[in-house]
Amino acid sequence: MPTPKPATPADLVERLEQAGRTLLALPNTGPSTRLVQSGLDWVRDAGDTPMATARSATAGKDGGRLRPPIPSSAAITQMDEALAWIPLIPQDRVVLRRIVGARSLVDPMNERHLYSWRRLAIAVGADHKAVQRWHVQGIALILQRLA
């Protein structure tokens, strides 16, 4: 069942940030879809095994880097839905798309934005207050297109 579309700017920002957390929690490695679709029984069985709890329980014990738990399929579906809203910002407003997309990336381990307002301002060559205004404009454009 799809989740309801956000009604307020705060709801939309929260959904985009949750999508960013989910995106960053996805593992960078693992079997590709090419292997999962193969005829090898052990590959299909490995793809069906619920490894999220096993990986999160053992994270850090062997001195490796701590990783967030692997998101559920429902969280990934919600992420796909929310990230599909960013292209609703018109093509000629590519800077707004970049700002909204970059600002949605939130580290799932420490809940901090990957790109602060000042870091985004440096990236686009503008004042951080202007970047904040453009973010609000981008959110407003998405809500307008969703309505």
Side-chain angles (χ1 to χ4, degrees), residues 15-79:
R15 286 285 303 275
L16 287 172
E17 288 178 356
Q18 186 58 42
R21 282 184 201 92
T22 302
L23 181 65
L24 293 175
L26 290 171
N28 292 338
T29 60
S32 70
T33 55
R34 180 176 49 84
L35 286 176
V36 173
Q37 294 172 355
S38 74
L40 302 174
D41 293 336
W42 65 270
V43 174
R44 279 197 306 272
D45 293 341
D48 295 337
T49 305
M51 294 295 292
T53 54
R55 286 186 192 158
S56 63
T58 60
K61 289 184 182 177
D62 59 357
R65 183 172 166 244
L66 289 175
R67 297 266 320 144
I70 296 175
S72 67
S73 60
I76 293 171
T77 301
Q78 289 178 353
M79 173 196 72

Side-chain angles (χ1 to χ4, degrees), residues 10-143:
D11 292 341
L12 178 59
V13 169
E14 177 56 36
R15 286 285 303 275
L16 287 172
E17 288 178 356
Q18 186 58 42
R21 282 184 201 92
T22 302
L23 181 65
L24 293 175
L26 290 171
N28 292 338
T29 60
S32 70
T33 55
R34 180 176 49 84
L35 286 176
V36 173
Q37 294 172 355
S38 74
L40 302 174
D41 293 336
W42 65 270
V43 174
R44 279 197 306 272
D45 293 341
D48 295 337
T49 305
M51 294 295 292
T53 54
R55 286 186 192 158
S56 63
T58 60
K61 289 184 182 177
D62 59 357
R65 183 172 166 244
L66 289 175
R67 297 266 320 144
I70 296 175
S72 67
S73 60
I76 293 171
T77 301
Q78 289 178 353
M79 173 196 72
D80 289 339
E81 180 185 11
L83 292 180
W85 296 334
I86 294 175
L88 294 177
I89 298 172
Q91 187 81 24
D92 61 335
R93 311 292 302 270
V94 70
V95 173
L96 296 183
R97 283 184 179 193
R98 285 182 64 196
I99 290 170
V100 171
R103 191 63 185 170
S104 70
L105 297 175
V106 177
D107 189 313
M109 295 297 285
N110 62 15
E111 297 294 319
R112 293 174 63 183
H113 289 275
L114 259 57
Y115 296 96
S116 67
W117 294 117
R118 291 186 190 273
R119 188 169 173 198
L120 275 173
I122 291 168
V124 298
D127 181 55
H128 72 280
K129 293 290 186 181
V131 170
Q132 289 173 345
R133 284 192 306 272
W134 293 338
H135 183 264
V136 170
Q137 288 175 5
I139 297 297
L141 285 170
I142 292 172
L143 281 175

